[in-house]
Amino acid sequence: MDSVNPMNVLKLLEEDYKQLFQLDGQPSEADKQLKELVKSSSLALEEDL
């Protein structure tokens, strides 16, 4: 599997979702929890590789 650059993934997701969501809003508690889940999943994936 090729190396994944998280910043490129974020750019791709931003392109997909910027029409649906406002980027200038404050992160909610759910947003922060999801960030931690994604971050920990990413670290676990890196360890497996």
Side-chain angles (χ1 to χ4, degrees):
M1 180 175 170
D2 290 338
S3 168
V4 174
N5 181 337
M7 295 305 293
N8 288 339
V9 174
L10 290 174
K11 286 179 189 176
L12 293 169
L13 288 170
E14 180 181 2
E15 287 297 314
D16 287 347
Y17 287 98
K18 70 181 176 182
Q19 299 298 320
L20 300 172
F21 300 100
Q22 298 295 322
L23 295 177
D24 57 354
Q26 288 288 357
S28 68
E29 189 59 36
D31 295 336
K32 294 173 185 176
Q33 290 175 357
L34 180 59
K35 179 198 97 169
E36 291 304 319
L37 178 64
V38 170
K39 189 174 174 181
S40 63
S41 297
S42 175
L43 292 174
L45 179 61
E46 287 177 12
E47 289 176 1
D48 288 344
L49 298 175

